[in-house]
Amino acid sequence: MVNTGASVEWARKQVDLGRVPVGVLGIASSNGIEDVVAFGSDGGRQATADHHFALFSVSKPISALAVMRQVEMGKLSLGSALSTAVPGFGTGRTDTVTLEHLLSHRSGITDPELDDGVPLRDALTSAGQTFYAGSLVQYCNIAFEGAAAMAEWADGRPFEEQVLSLAADTGASGLTFSTDCNPHTVHGTEAAGLNAGAMFEQRHPGAGLFGTATDLLNLGSELLRDSGKAVQPATLAAMRRPRTTRLSHITTRPKPLRQTGLGFQLPANESELIARGIYGHPGWSGTEWWMFPEQDRCVVFLTNVLDTPDLGVDTTELLNAVAAS
């Protein structure tokens, strides 16, 4: 049995100190969900374990898992060129942007604003070039629209259908790109200059999913089991392999620095962590989803405030509490 006490108290503290109005904390193992607790209220709405939250970039590894299903079926390769699936992309570029580049933030595509209202496929084809593909690392949301386009080209089904199929196969059937799920309002958008409604309308494969703690815990349990229901074990191992360790990062927020696999991020500050081999992803809205294969743990923290590290939310504390549970 997992001892969730320290992790639960960490989540409670974030709400009690007023850093976030609500928080849902969940812990799972390969045996399934161990504990889910909810704290706080927002606008008179008491948080519960079954509420949906905007996942923001926690969407990325989920979308990457859907894309990698096409790779393991032989319909795509990591070396496949984006321009093959999207002929209008890269006019004037002398390099080749591959699926591996897209999923590991090495594409060199200039990232448009999440809320600019331009249809994602149009924004992808008209995007500029920041650097030669593969030479540097820069976080890029629109790259996941490129990966989604490649999965659609390979499989013939809309990408959203592919993501929902992954969700259904792994007990994460509450995952959705639709605001009809009544998610918690995201705070801090005005200060950040983000029109969240416009962003959500894009149903962005890199930032647009909504989900519950149960959805992410069930999916995390499948990954810990290495059951093959999400992707095959060899595929998951490839996604966890760091692709950015020897490259310079272009970033305005260097700490905490994270390396990137395929869709998944990997903490680079392992000297500050109890556990090794952690993989997962944070989201701009304060969401967190991490797997600990050596400790057989998955942790989910869902909340609804942008830029929570600036408010004092230190997820290194959470990761260490989970590792020691």
Side-chain angles (χ1 to χ4, degrees), residues 173-257:
S173 57
L175 291 174
T176 179
F177 286 97
S178 172
T179 56
D180 290 347
C181 62
N182 190 27
H184 277 269
T185 299
V186 179
H187 298 284
T189 56
E190 184 174 348
L194 175 71
N195 182 336
M199 189 199 85
F200 296 149
E201 287 180 6
Q202 296 276 39
R203 304 169 89 93
H204 199 306
L209 274 171
F210 301 90
T212 69
T214 298
D215 294 323
L216 295 176
L217 291 170
N218 283 340
L219 179 51
S221 287
E222 291 295 348
L223 297 179
L224 291 172
R225 282 192 286 272
D226 228 356
S227 64
K229 289 185 178 180
V231 293
Q232 295 301 313
T235 307
L236 181 58
M239 296 179 72
R240 292 177 52 199
R241 191 160 61 242
R243 313 270 169 162
T244 57
T245 51
R246 294 181 176 85
L247 296 175
S248 296
H249 289 65
I250 302 173
T251 178
T252 59
R253 186 185 287 271
K255 187 172 177 61
L257 177 66

Side-chain angles (χ1 to χ4, degrees), residues 34-57:
E34 301 283 346
D35 199 8
V36 185
V37 292
F39 302 103
S41 63
D42 189 16
R45 184 184 185 191
Q46 187 72 32
T48 68
D50 61 353
H51 281 175
H52 277 78
F53 287 80
L55 300 183
F56 279 74
S57 285

